[in-house]
Amino acid sequence: MSHSYTETPESPATSPEALKYGEREIAEGQLITFPNPRIGRRYEVQITLPEFTCKCPFSGYPDFATIYLTYVPNERVVELKSIKLYINSYRDRYISHEESINQILDDFVTAADPLEVRIKGDFNPRGNVHTVVEVQHLRVNPES
């Protein structure tokens, strides 16, 4: 006796109920911060995100990268699960390498207001081209 089972594929994201729980978390995700436990102490936080994906805005082909984020907190630090979900939100976006890394920087600065932040996107080679995009932000002291 043989049994076969065919799952009916659902179309993604027509309503929140149709989304898988991970897709809902990604769609609702935002960068969450909490108070720096050591305000006044200068230290670096290094985060590596090896599964970044987005889509080429011209061809639609997927792009893959490792994101390296290093920052010196000010009054807030970023919650790690929220940055994972935020980064995963890029997977279906049509966005260039350059714009994606600059947008991540802008969003991170808005959320965490770090003293310093450096973000490097090391994109996997595609078509014999390897791209690395690096951006940084230094907080300007309002008293100077």
Side-chain angles (χ1 to χ4, degrees), residues 42 44-47 67-72 101 105 108 114 116-121 133-138:
R42 187 174 179 81
E44 274 191 359
V45 177
Q46 297 176 356
I47 300 169
I67 306 295
Y68 300 94
L69 190 154
T70 303
Y71 75 103
V72 177
I101 302 308
L105 176 76
F108 190 87
E116 298 177 24
V117 60
R118 290 183 312 279
I119 299 175
K120 175 179 165 181
V133 178
E134 294 184 59
V135 294
Q136 71 176 12
H137 169 81
L138 299 173

mmCIF file with all atom_site columns, all heavy atoms in Angstrom, residues 42 44-47 67-72 101 105 108 114 116-121 133-138:
data_model
loop_
_atom_site.group_PDB
_atom_site.id
_atom_site.type_symbol
_atom_site.label_atom_id
_atom_site.label_alt_id
_atom_site.label_comp_id
_atom_site.label_asym_id
_atom_site.label_entity_id
_atom_site.label_seq_id
_atom_site.pdbx_PDB_ins_code
_atom_site.Cartn_x
_atom_site.Cartn_y
_atom_site.Cartn_z
_atom_site.occupancy
_atom_site.B_iso_or_equiv
_atom_site.pdbx_formal_charge
_atom_site.auth_seq_id
_atom_site.auth_comp_id
_atom_site.auth_asym_id
_atom_site.auth_atom_id
_atom_site.pdbx_PDB_model_num
ATOM 1   N N   . ARG A 1 42  ? 34.674 52.750 27.070 1.00 0.00 ? 42  ARG A N   1
ATOM 2   C CA  . ARG A 1 42  ? 34.794 52.592 25.620 1.00 0.00 ? 42  ARG A CA  1
ATOM 3   C C   . ARG A 1 42  ? 35.124 51.133 25.310 1.00 0.00 ? 42  ARG A C   1
ATOM 4   O O   . ARG A 1 42  ? 36.132 50.608 25.745 1.00 0.00 ? 42  ARG A O   1
ATOM 5   C CB  . ARG A 1 42  ? 35.889 53.515 25.101 1.00 0.00 ? 42  ARG A CB  1
ATOM 6   C CG  . ARG A 1 42  ? 35.988 53.569 23.619 1.00 0.00 ? 42  ARG A CG  1
ATOM 7   C CD  . ARG A 1 42  ? 37.008 54.634 23.188 1.00 0.00 ? 42  ARG A CD  1
ATOM 8   N NE  . ARG A 1 42  ? 37.112 54.666 21.762 1.00 0.00 ? 42  ARG A NE  1
ATOM 9   C CZ  . ARG A 1 42  ? 36.266 55.289 20.954 1.00 0.00 ? 42  ARG A CZ  1
ATOM 10  N NH1 . ARG A 1 42  ? 35.253 55.968 21.463 1.00 0.00 ? 42  ARG A NH1 1
ATOM 11  N NH2 . ARG A 1 42  ? 36.425 55.257 19.654 1.00 0.00 ? 42  ARG A NH2 1
ATOM 12  N N   . GLU A 1 44  ? 34.320 47.872 22.094 1.00 0.00 ? 44  GLU A N   1
ATOM 13  C CA  . GLU A 1 44  ? 33.806 47.539 20.770 1.00 0.00 ? 44  GLU A CA  1
ATOM 14  C C   . GLU A 1 44  ? 32.915 46.303 20.834 1.00 0.00 ? 44  GLU A C   1
ATOM 15  O O   . GLU A 1 44  ? 33.184 45.371 21.580 1.00 0.00 ? 44  GLU A O   1
ATOM 16  C CB  . GLU A 1 44  ? 34.954 47.204 19.807 1.00 0.00 ? 44  GLU A CB  1
ATOM 17  C CG  . GLU A 1 44  ? 35.551 48.382 19.127 1.00 0.00 ? 44  GLU A CG  1
ATOM 18  C CD  . GLU A 1 44  ? 36.491 47.962 17.993 1.00 0.00 ? 44  GLU A CD  1
ATOM 19  O OE1 . GLU A 1 44  ? 36.708 46.765 17.741 1.00 0.00 ? 44  GLU A OE1 1
ATOM 20  O OE2 . GLU A 1 44  ? 37.008 48.886 17.356 1.00 0.00 ? 44  GLU A OE2 1
ATOM 21  N N   . VAL A 1 45  ? 31.891 46.313 20.018 1.00 0.00 ? 45  VAL A N   1
ATOM 22  C CA  . VAL A 1 45  ? 31.044 45.150 19.814 1.00 0.00 ? 45  VAL A CA  1
ATOM 23  C C   . VAL A 1 45  ? 31.208 44.756 18.353 1.00 0.00 ? 45  VAL A C   1
ATOM 24  O O   . VAL A 1 45  ? 31.053 45.597 17.465 1.00 0.00 ? 45  VAL A O   1
ATOM 25  C CB  . VAL A 1 45  ? 29.556 45.461 20.111 1.00 0.00 ? 45  VAL A CB  1
ATOM 26  C CG1 . VAL A 1 45  ? 28.682 44.246 19.824 1.00 0.00 ? 45  VAL A CG1 1
ATOM 27  C CG2 . VAL A 1 45  ? 29.376 45.948 21.547 1.00 0.00 ? 45  VAL A CG2 1
ATOM 28  N N   . GLN A 1 46  ? 31.554 43.489 18.117 1.00 0.00 ? 46  GLN A N   1
ATOM 29  C CA  . GLN A 1 46  ? 31.727 42.982 16.758 1.00 0.00 ? 46  GLN A CA  1
ATOM 30  C C   . GLN A 1 46  ? 30.653 41.944 16.479 1.00 0.00 ? 46  GLN A C   1
ATOM 31  O O   . GLN A 1 46  ? 30.492 40.993 17.239 1.00 0.00 ? 46  GLN A O   1
ATOM 32  C CB  . GLN A 1 46  ? 33.108 42.365 16.585 1.00 0.00 ? 46  GLN A CB  1
ATOM 33  C CG  . GLN A 1 46  ? 34.221 43.367 16.775 1.00 0.00 ? 46  GLN A CG  1
ATOM 34  C CD  . GLN A 1 46  ? 35.598 42.720 16.696 1.00 0.00 ? 46  GLN A CD  1
ATOM 35  O OE1 . GLN A 1 46  ? 35.734 41.519 16.570 1.00 0.00 ? 46  GLN A OE1 1
ATOM 36  N NE2 . GLN A 1 46  ? 36.619 43.556 16.765 1.00 0.00 ? 46  GLN A NE2 1
ATOM 37  N N   . ILE A 1 47  ? 29.918 42.144 15.400 1.00 0.00 ? 47  ILE A N   1
ATOM 38  C CA  . ILE A 1 47  ? 28.845 41.236 15.010 1.00 0.00 ? 47  ILE A CA  1
ATOM 39  C C   . ILE A 1 47  ? 29.128 40.790 13.583 1.00 0.00 ? 47  ILE A C   1
ATOM 40  O O   . ILE A 1 47  ? 29.388 41.623 12.708 1.00 0.00 ? 47  ILE A O   1
ATOM 41  C CB  . ILE A 1 47  ? 27.478 41.943 15.092 1.00 0.00 ? 47  ILE A CB  1
ATOM 42  C CG1 . ILE A 1 47  ? 27.199 42.432 16.513 1.00 0.00 ? 47  ILE A CG1 1
ATOM 43  C CG2 . ILE A 1 47  ? 26.364 41.011 14.609 1.00 0.00 ? 47  ILE A CG2 1
ATOM 44  C CD1 . ILE A 1 47  ? 25.993 43.358 16.632 1.00 0.00 ? 47  ILE A CD1 1
ATOM 45  N N   . ILE A 1 67  ? 28.113 40.192 6.394  1.00 0.00 ? 67  ILE A N   1
ATOM 46  C CA  . ILE A 1 67  ? 28.139 41.558 6.920  1.00 0.00 ? 67  ILE A CA  1
ATOM 47  C C   . ILE A 1 67  ? 28.949 41.547 8.204  1.00 0.00 ? 67  ILE A C   1
ATOM 48  O O   . ILE A 1 67  ? 28.710 40.732 9.091  1.00 0.00 ? 67  ILE A O   1
ATOM 49  C CB  . ILE A 1 67  ? 26.707 42.074 7.222  1.00 0.00 ? 67  ILE A CB  1
ATOM 50  C CG1 . ILE A 1 67  ? 25.804 41.956 6.000  1.00 0.00 ? 67  ILE A CG1 1
ATOM 51  C CG2 . ILE A 1 67  ? 26.747 43.497 7.781  1.00 0.00 ? 67  ILE A CG2 1
ATOM 52  C CD1 . ILE A 1 67  ? 26.187 42.806 4.827  1.00 0.00 ? 67  ILE A CD1 1
ATOM 53  N N   . TYR A 1 68  ? 29.906 42.462 8.291  1.00 0.00 ? 68  TYR A N   1
ATOM 54  C CA  . TYR A 1 68  ? 30.702 42.650 9.498  1.00 0.00 ? 68  TYR A CA  1
ATOM 55  C C   . TYR A 1 68  ? 30.327 44.012 10.070 1.00 0.00 ? 68  TYR A C   1
ATOM 56  O O   . TYR A 1 68  ? 30.489 45.024 9.401  1.00 0.00 ? 68  TYR A O   1
ATOM 57  C CB  . TYR A 1 68  ? 32.199 42.611 9.181  1.00 0.00 ? 68  TYR A CB  1
ATOM 58  C CG  . TYR A 1 68  ? 32.636 41.306 8.566  1.00 0.00 ? 68  TYR A CG  1
ATOM 59  C CD1 . TYR A 1 68  ? 32.697 41.147 7.183  1.00 0.00 ? 68  TYR A CD1 1
ATOM 60  C CD2 . TYR A 1 68  ? 32.984 40.226 9.376  1.00 0.00 ? 68  TYR A CD2 1
ATOM 61  C CE1 . TYR A 1 68  ? 33.092 39.951 6.614  1.00 0.00 ? 68  TYR A CE1 1
ATOM 62  C CE2 . TYR A 1 68  ? 33.388 39.015 8.809  1.00 0.00 ? 68  TYR A CE2 1
ATOM 63  C CZ  . TYR A 1 68  ? 33.436 38.890 7.430  1.00 0.00 ? 68  TYR A CZ  1
ATOM 64  O OH  . TYR A 1 68  ? 33.830 37.702 6.868  1.00 0.00 ? 68  TYR A OH  1
ATOM 65  N N   . LEU A 1 69  ? 29.825 44.028 11.274 1.00 0.00 ? 69  LEU A N   1
ATOM 66  C CA  . LEU A 1 69  ? 29.393 45.258 11.929 1.00 0.00 ? 69  LEU A CA  1
ATOM 67  C C   . LEU A 1 69  ? 30.196 45.402 13.216 1.00 0.00 ? 69  LEU A C   1
ATOM 68  O O   . LEU A 1 69  ? 30.176 44.500 14.061 1.00 0.00 ? 69  LEU A O   1
ATOM 69  C CB  . LEU A 1 69  ? 27.895 45.176 12.229 1.00 0.00 ? 69  LEU A CB  1
ATOM 70  C CG  . LEU A 1 69  ? 27.203 46.442 12.693 1.00 0.00 ? 69  LEU A CG  1
ATOM 71  C CD1 . LEU A 1 69  ? 25.731 46.376 12.342 1.00 0.00 ? 69  LEU A CD1 1
ATOM 72  C CD2 . LEU A 1 69  ? 27.365 46.677 14.172 1.00 0.00 ? 69  LEU A CD2 1
ATOM 73  N N   . THR A 1 70  ? 30.915 46.492 13.351 1.00 0.00 ? 70  THR A N   1
ATOM 74  C CA  . THR A 1 70  ? 31.704 46.769 14.546 1.00 0.00 ? 70  THR A CA  1
ATOM 75  C C   . THR A 1 70  ? 31.316 48.145 15.035 1.00 0.00 ? 70  THR A C   1
ATOM 76  O O   . THR A 1 70  ? 31.341 49.107 14.261 1.00 0.00 ? 70  THR A O   1
ATOM 77  C CB  . THR A 1 70  ? 33.216 46.734 14.237 1.00 0.00 ? 70  THR A CB  1
ATOM 78  O OG1 . THR A 1 70  ? 33.533 45.450 13.680 1.00 0.00 ? 70  THR A OG1 1
ATOM 79  C CG2 . THR A 1 70  ? 34.043 46.965 15.487 1.00 0.00 ? 70  THR A CG2 1
ATOM 80  N N   . TYR A 1 71  ? 30.943 48.231 16.327 1.00 0.00 ? 71  TYR A N   1
ATOM 81  C CA  . TYR A 1 71  ? 30.549 49.544 16.831 1.00 0.00 ? 71  TYR A CA  1
ATOM 82  C C   . TYR A 1 71  ? 31.007 49.754 18.264 1.00 0.00 ? 71  TYR A C   1
ATOM 83  O O   . TYR A 1 71  ? 31.271 48.817 19.003 1.00 0.00 ? 71  TYR A O   1
ATOM 84  C CB  . TYR A 1 71  ? 29.050 49.761 16.689 1.00 0.00 ? 71  TYR A CB  1
ATOM 85  C CG  . TYR A 1 71  ? 28.139 49.031 17.656 1.00 0.00 ? 71  TYR A CG  1
ATOM 86  C CD1 . TYR A 1 71  ? 27.552 49.706 18.732 1.00 0.00 ? 71  TYR A CD1 1
ATOM 87  C CD2 . TYR A 1 71  ? 27.830 47.693 17.487 1.00 0.00 ? 71  TYR A CD2 1
ATOM 88  C CE1 . TYR A 1 71  ? 26.687 49.050 19.596 1.00 0.00 ? 71  TYR A CE1 1
ATOM 89  C CE2 . TYR A 1 71  ? 26.969 47.038 18.339 1.00 0.00 ? 71  TYR A CE2 1
ATOM 90  C CZ  . TYR A 1 71  ? 26.401 47.713 19.399 1.00 0.00 ? 71  TYR A CZ  1
ATOM 91  O OH  . TYR A 1 71  ? 25.547 47.065 20.258 1.00 0.00 ? 71  TYR A OH  1
ATOM 92  N N   . VAL A 1 72  ? 31.127 51.033 18.610 1.00 0.00 ? 72  VAL A N   1
ATOM 93  C CA  . VAL A 1 72  ? 31.425 51.472 19.973 1.00 0.00 ? 72  VAL A CA  1
ATOM 94  C C   . VAL A 1 72  ? 30.131 52.083 20.493 1.00 0.00 ? 72  VAL A C   1
ATOM 95  O O   . VAL A 1 72  ? 29.692 53.119 19.989 1.00 0.00 ? 72  VAL A O   1
ATOM 96  C CB  . VAL A 1 72  ? 32.577 52.500 20.008 1.00 0.00 ? 72  VAL A CB  1
ATOM 97  C CG1 . VAL A 1 72  ? 32.815 52.994 21.435 1.00 0.00 ? 72  VAL A CG1 1
ATOM 98  C CG2 . VAL A 1 72  ? 33.846 51.908 19.412 1.00 0.00 ? 72  VAL A CG2 1
ATOM 99  N N   . ILE A 1 101 ? 24.445 48.365 2.046  1.00 0.00 ? 101 ILE A N   1
ATOM 100 C CA  . ILE A 1 101 ? 25.357 48.597 3.168  1.00 0.00 ? 101 ILE A CA  1
ATOM 101 C C   . ILE A 1 101 ? 25.168 50.010 3.723  1.00 0.00 ? 101 ILE A C   1
ATOM 102 O O   . ILE A 1 101 ? 25.178 50.216 4.938  1.00 0.00 ? 101 ILE A O   1
ATOM 103 C CB  . ILE A 1 101 ? 26.821 48.338 2.745  1.00 0.00 ? 101 ILE A CB  1
ATOM 104 C CG1 . ILE A 1 101 ? 26.976 46.897 2.224  1.00 0.00 ? 101 ILE A CG1 1
ATOM 105 C CG2 . ILE A 1 101 ? 27.781 48.598 3.902  1.00 0.00 ? 101 ILE A CG2 1
ATOM 106 C CD1 . ILE A 1 101 ? 26.448 45.814 3.156  1.00 0.00 ? 101 ILE A CD1 1
ATOM 107 N N   . LEU A 1 105 ? 23.822 51.011 7.547  1.00 0.00 ? 105 LEU A N   1
ATOM 108 C CA  . LEU A 1 105 ? 24.492 52.006 8.390  1.00 0.00 ? 105 LEU A CA  1
ATOM 109 C C   . LEU A 1 105 ? 23.503 53.067 8.869  1.00 0.00 ? 105 LEU A C   1
ATOM 110 O O   . LEU A 1 105 ? 23.443 53.370 10.066 1.00 0.00 ? 105 LEU A O   1
ATOM 111 C CB  . LEU A 1 105 ? 25.641 52.670 7.636  1.00 0.00 ? 105 LEU A CB  1
ATOM 112 C CG  . LEU A 1 105 ? 26.341 53.794 8.412  1.00 0.00 ? 105 LEU A CG  1
ATOM 113 C CD1 . LEU A 1 105 ? 27.249 53.228 9.493  1.00 0.00 ? 105 LEU A CD1 1
ATOM 114 C CD2 . LEU A 1 105 ? 27.111 54.694 7.475  1.00 0.00 ? 105 LEU A CD2 1
ATOM 115 N N   . PHE A 1 108 ? 21.134 51.640 11.467 1.00 0.00 ? 108 PHE A N   1
ATOM 116 C CA  . PHE A 1 108 ? 21.822 51.327 12.717 1.00 0.00 ? 108 PHE A CA  1
ATOM 117 C C   . PHE A 1 108 ? 22.120 52.598 13.513 1.00 0.00 ? 108 PHE A C   1
ATOM 118 O O   . PHE A 1 108 ? 21.906 52.654 14.723 1.00 0.00 ? 108 PHE A O   1
ATOM 119 C CB  . PHE A 1 108 ? 23.118 50.550 12.450 1.00 0.00 ? 108 PHE A CB  1
ATOM 120 C CG  . PHE A 1 108 ? 23.733 49.992 13.691 1.00 0.00 ? 108 PHE A CG  1
ATOM 121 C CD1 . PHE A 1 108 ? 23.347 48.754 14.181 1.00 0.00 ? 108 PHE A CD1 1
ATOM 122 C CD2 . PHE A 1 108 ? 24.694 50.703 14.395 1.00 0.00 ? 108 PHE A CD2 1
ATOM 123 C CE1 . PHE A 1 108 ? 23.893 48.243 15.342 1.00 0.00 ? 108 PHE A CE1 1
ATOM 124 C CE2 . PHE A 1 108 ? 25.241 50.208 15.550 1.00 0.00 ? 108 PHE A CE2 1
ATOM 125 C CZ  . PHE A 1 108 ? 24.850 48.975 16.032 1.00 0.00 ? 108 PHE A CZ  1
ATOM 126 N N   . PRO A 1 114 ? 25.483 55.113 17.957 1.00 0.00 ? 114 PRO A N   1
ATOM 127 C CA  . PRO A 1 114 ? 26.780 54.713 18.520 1.00 0.00 ? 114 PRO A CA  1
ATOM 128 C C   . PRO A 1 114 ? 27.811 55.831 18.427 1.00 0.00 ? 114 PRO A C   1
ATOM 129 O O   . PRO A 1 114 ? 27.661 56.768 17.637 1.00 0.00 ? 114 PRO A O   1
ATOM 130 C CB  . PRO A 1 114 ? 27.183 53.532 17.643 1.00 0.00 ? 114 PRO A CB  1
ATOM 131 C CG  . PRO A 1 114 ? 26.575 53.871 16.320 1.00 0.00 ? 114 PRO A CG  1
ATOM 132 C CD  . PRO A 1 114 ? 25.258 54.525 16.641 1.00 0.00 ? 114 PRO A CD  1
ATOM 133 N N   . GLU A 1 116 ? 30.840 55.193 17.370 1.00 0.00 ? 116 GLU A N   1
ATOM 134 C CA  . GLU A 1 116 ? 31.438 54.845 16.082 1.00 0.00 ? 116 GLU A CA  1
ATOM 135 C C   . GLU A 1 116 ? 30.772 53.577 15.582 1.00 0.00 ? 116 GLU A C   1
ATOM 136 O O   . GLU A 1 116 ? 30.376 52.727 16.380 1.00 0.00 ? 116 GLU A O   1
ATOM 137 C CB  . GLU A 1 116 ? 32.933 54.502 16.215 1.00 0.00 ? 116 GLU A CB  1
ATOM 138 C CG  . GLU A 1 116 ? 33.819 55.573 16.713 1.00 0.00 ? 116 GLU A CG  1
ATOM 139 C CD  . GLU A 1 116 ? 35.261 55.071 16.876 1.00 0.00 ? 116 GLU A CD  1
ATOM 140 O OE1 . GLU A 1 116 ? 35.671 54.094 16.206 1.00 0.00 ? 116 GLU A OE1 1
ATOM 141 O OE2 . GLU A 1 116 ? 35.964 55.662 17.686 1.00 0.00 ? 116 GLU A OE2 1
ATOM 142 N N   . VAL A 1 117 ? 30.708 53.428 14.273 1.00 0.00 ? 117 VAL A N   1
ATOM 143 C CA  . VAL A 1 117 ? 30.262 52.177 13.677 1.00 0.00 ? 117 VAL A CA  1
ATOM 144 C C   . VAL A 1 117 ? 30.913 52.015 12.315 1.00 0.00 ? 117 VAL A C   1
ATOM 145 O O   . VAL A 1 117 ? 31.050 52.983 11.572 1.00 0.00 ? 117 VAL A O   1
ATOM 146 C CB  . VAL A 1 117 ? 28.712 52.075 13.592 1.00 0.00 ? 117 VAL A CB  1
ATOM 147 C CG1 . VAL A 1 117 ? 28.118 53.188 12.761 1.00 0.00 ? 117 VAL A CG1 1
ATOM 148 C CG2 . VAL A 1 117 ? 28.272 50.712 13.067 1.00 0.00 ? 117 VAL A CG2 1
ATOM 149 N N   . ARG A 1 118 ? 31.356 50.789 12.036 1.00 0.00 ? 118 ARG A N   1
ATOM 150 C CA  . ARG A 1 118 ? 31.893 50.414 10.724 1.00 0.00 ? 118 ARG A CA  1
ATOM 151 C C   . ARG A 1 118 ? 31.092 49.205 10.250 1.00 0.00 ? 118 ARG A C   1
ATOM 152 O O   . ARG A 1 118 ? 30.908 48.249 10.992 1.00 0.00 ? 118 ARG A O   1
ATOM 153 C CB  . ARG A 1 118 ? 33.375 50.023 10.816 1.00 0.00 ? 118 ARG A CB  1
ATOM 154 C CG  . ARG A 1 118 ? 34.303 51.172 11.107 1.00 0.00 ? 118 ARG A CG  1
ATOM 155 C CD  . ARG A 1 118 ? 35.770 50.735 11.106 1.00 0.00 ? 118 ARG A CD  1
ATOM 156 N NE  . ARG A 1 118 ? 36.079 49.538 11.884 1.00 0.00 ? 118 ARG A NE  1
ATOM 157 C CZ  . ARG A 1 118 ? 36.252 49.504 13.199 1.00 0.00 ? 118 ARG A CZ  1
ATOM 158 N NH1 . ARG A 1 118 ? 36.128 50.593 13.919 1.00 0.00 ? 118 ARG A NH1 1
ATOM 159 N NH2 . ARG A 1 118 ? 36.549 48.372 13.814 1.00 0.00 ? 118 ARG A NH2 1
ATOM 160 N N   . ILE A 1 119 ? 30.672 49.254 9.002  1.00 0.00 ? 119 ILE A N   1
ATOM 161 C CA  . ILE A 1 119 ? 29.943 48.134 8.426  1.00 0.00 ? 119 ILE A CA  1
ATOM 162 C C   . ILE A 1 119 ? 30.623 47.766 7.111  1.00 0.00 ? 119 ILE A C   1
ATOM 163 O O   . ILE A 1 119 ? 30.891 48.626 6.270  1.00 0.00 ? 119 ILE A O   1
ATOM 164 C CB  . ILE A 1 119 ? 28.460 48.468 8.195  1.00 0.00 ? 119 ILE A CB  1
ATOM 165 C CG1 . ILE A 1 119 ? 27.798 48.804 9.541  1.00 0.00 ? 119 ILE A CG1 1
ATOM 166 C CG2 . ILE A 1 119 ? 27.745 47.292 7.517  1.00 0.00 ? 119 ILE A CG2 1
ATOM 167 C CD1 . ILE A 1 119 ? 26.371 49.255 9.445  1.00 0.00 ? 119 ILE A CD1 1
ATOM 168 N N   . LYS A 1 120 ? 30.904 46.483 6.976  1.00 0.00 ? 120 LYS A N   1
ATOM 169 C CA  . LYS A 1 120 ? 31.550 45.958 5.772  1.00 0.00 ? 120 LYS A CA  1
ATOM 170 C C   . LYS A 1 120 ? 30.666 44.863 5.210  1.00 0.00 ? 120 LYS A C   1
ATOM 171 O O   . LYS A 1 120 ? 30.270 43.941 5.929  1.00 0.00 ? 120 LYS A O   1
ATOM 172 C CB  . LYS A 1 120 ? 32.924 45.396 6.139  1.00 0.00 ? 120 LYS A CB  1
ATOM 173 C CG  . LYS A 1 120 ? 33.655 44.711 5.017  1.00 0.00 ? 120 LYS A CG  1
ATOM 174 C CD  . LYS A 1 120 ? 35.004 44.230 5.546  1.00 0.00 ? 120 LYS A CD  1
ATOM 175 C CE  . LYS A 1 120 ? 35.653 43.231 4.638  1.00 0.00 ? 120 LYS A CE  1
ATOM 176 N NZ  . LYS A 1 120 ? 36.933 42.778 5.217  1.00 0.00 ? 120 LYS A NZ  1
ATOM 177 N N   . GLY A 1 121 ? 30.342 44.969 3.944  1.00 0.00 ? 121 GLY A N   1
ATOM 178 C CA  . GLY A 1 121 ? 29.614 43.922 3.230  1.00 0.00 ? 121 GLY A CA  1
ATOM 179 C C   . GLY A 1 121 ? 30.557 43.251 2.263  1.00 0.00 ? 121 GLY A C   1
ATOM 180 O O   . GLY A 1 121 ? 31.035 43.882 1.325  1.00 0.00 ? 121 GLY A O   1
ATOM 181 N N   . VAL A 1 133 ? 31.998 46.384 0.180  1.00 0.00 ? 133 VAL A N   1
ATOM 182 C CA  . VAL A 1 133 ? 31.565 47.753 0.433  1.00 0.00 ? 133 VAL A CA  1
ATOM 183 C C   . VAL A 1 133 ? 31.755 48.018 1.914  1.00 0.00 ? 133 VAL A C   1
ATOM 184 O O   . VAL A 1 133 ? 31.279 47.250 2.752  1.00 0.00 ? 133 VAL A O   1
ATOM 185 C CB  . VAL A 1 133 ? 30.081 47.960 0.042  1.00 0.00 ? 133 VAL A CB  1
ATOM 186 C CG1 . VAL A 1 133 ? 29.639 49.385 0.355  1.00 0.00 ? 133 VAL A CG1 1
ATOM 187 C CG2 . VAL A 1 133 ? 29.859 47.621 -1.425 1.00 0.00 ? 133 VAL A CG2 1
ATOM 188 N N   . GLU A 1 134 ? 32.460 49.102 2.249  1.00 0.00 ? 134 GLU A N   1
ATOM 189 C CA  . GLU A 1 134 ? 32.688 49.470 3.646  1.00 0.00 ? 134 GLU A CA  1
ATOM 190 C C   . GLU A 1 134 ? 32.228 50.904 3.873  1.00 0.00 ? 134 GLU A C   1
ATOM 191 O O   . GLU A 1 134 ? 32.511 51.777 3.053  1.00 0.00 ? 134 GLU A O   1
ATOM 192 C CB  . GLU A 1 134 ? 34.168 49.367 4.012  1.00 0.00 ? 134 GLU A CB  1
ATOM 193 C CG  . GLU A 1 134 ? 34.703 47.962 3.977  1.00 0.00 ? 134 GLU A CG  1
ATOM 194 C CD  . GLU A 1 134 ? 36.148 47.888 4.432  1.00 0.00 ? 134 GLU A CD  1
ATOM 195 O OE1 . GLU A 1 134 ? 36.437 48.288 5.582  1.00 0.00 ? 134 GLU A OE1 1
ATOM 196 O OE2 . GLU A 1 134 ? 36.982 47.442 3.630  1.00 0.00 ? 134 GLU A OE2 1
ATOM 197 N N   . VAL A 1 135 ? 31.522 51.113 4.971  1.00 0.00 ? 135 VAL A N   1
ATOM 198 C CA  . VAL A 1 135 ? 31.085 52.452 5.359  1.00 0.00 ? 135 VAL A CA  1
ATOM 199 C C   . VAL A 1 135 ? 31.322 52.618 6.854  1.00 0.00 ? 135 VAL A C   1
ATOM 200 O O   . VAL A 1 135 ? 31.405 51.644 7.591  1.00 0.00 ? 135 VAL A O   1
ATOM 201 C CB  . VAL A 1 135 ? 29.594 52.706 5.015  1.00 0.00 ? 135 VAL A CB  1
ATOM 202 C CG1 . VAL A 1 135 ? 29.371 52.717 3.523  1.00 0.00 ? 135 VAL A CG1 1
ATOM 203 C CG2 . VAL A 1 135 ? 28.688 51.703 5.687  1.00 0.00 ? 135 VAL A CG2 1
ATOM 204 N N   . GLN A 1 136 ? 31.429 53.870 7.259  1.00 0.00 ? 136 GLN A N   1
ATOM 205 C CA  . GLN A 1 136 ? 31.591 54.120 8.686  1.00 0.00 ? 136 GLN A CA  1
ATOM 206 C C   . GLN A 1 136 ? 30.920 55.418 9.086  1.00 0.00 ? 136 GLN A C   1
ATOM 207 O O   . GLN A 1 136 ? 30.640 56.267 8.237  1.00 0.00 ? 136 GLN A O   1
ATOM 208 C CB  . GLN A 1 136 ? 33.059 54.135 9.094  1.00 0.00 ? 136 GLN A CB  1
ATOM 209 C CG  . GLN A 1 136 ? 33.854 55.323 8.619  1.00 0.00 ? 136 GLN A CG  1
ATOM 210 C CD  . GLN A 1 136 ? 35.274 55.296 9.168  1.00 0.00 ? 136 GLN A CD  1
ATOM 211 O OE1 . GLN A 1 136 ? 35.730 54.309 9.711  1.00 0.00 ? 136 GLN A OE1 1
ATOM 212 N NE2 . GLN A 1 136 ? 35.979 56.386 9.011  1.00 0.00 ? 136 GLN A NE2 1
ATOM 213 N N   . HIS A 1 137 ? 30.684 55.540 10.365 1.00 0.00 ? 137 HIS A N   1
ATOM 214 C CA  . HIS A 1 137 ? 30.060 56.733 10.935 1.00 0.00 ? 137 HIS A CA  1
ATOM 215 C C   . HIS A 1 137 ? 30.756 57.038 12.253 1.00 0.00 ? 137 HIS A C   1
ATOM 216 O O   . HIS A 1 137 ? 30.976 56.141 13.064 1.00 0.00 ? 137 HIS A O   1
ATOM 217 C CB  . HIS A 1 137 ? 28.573 56.480 11.181 1.00 0.00 ? 137 HIS A CB  1
ATOM 218 C CG  . HIS A 1 137 ? 27.909 57.546 11.995 1.00 0.00 ? 137 HIS A CG  1
ATOM 219 N ND1 . HIS A 1 137 ? 27.480 58.733 11.447 1.00 0.00 ? 137 HIS A ND1 1
ATOM 220 C CD2 . HIS A 1 137 ? 27.609 57.601 13.310 1.00 0.00 ? 137 HIS A CD2 1
ATOM 221 C CE1 . HIS A 1 137 ? 26.943 59.477 12.405 1.00 0.00 ? 137 HIS A CE1 1
ATOM 222 N NE2 . HIS A 1 137 ? 26.998 58.813 13.537 1.00 0.00 ? 137 HIS A NE2 1
ATOM 223 N N   . LEU A 1 138 ? 31.113 58.284 12.441 1.00 0.00 ? 138 LEU A N   1
ATOM 224 C CA  . LEU A 1 138 ? 31.662 58.761 13.705 1.00 0.00 ? 138 LEU A CA  1
ATOM 225 C C   . LEU A 1 138 ? 30.694 59.781 14.265 1.00 0.00 ? 138 LEU A C   1
ATOM 226 O O   . LEU A 1 138 ? 30.310 60.730 13.573 1.00 0.00 ? 138 LEU A O   1
ATOM 227 C CB  . LEU A 1 138 ? 33.038 59.405 13.518 1.00 0.00 ? 138 LEU A CB  1
ATOM 228 C CG  . LEU A 1 138 ? 34.133 58.502 12.958 1.00 0.00 ? 138 LEU A CG  1
ATOM 229 C CD1 . LEU A 1 138 ? 35.386 59.312 12.660 1.00 0.00 ? 138 LEU A CD1 1
ATOM 230 C CD2 . LEU A 1 138 ? 34.442 57.373 13.926 1.00 0.00 ? 138 LEU A CD2 1
#
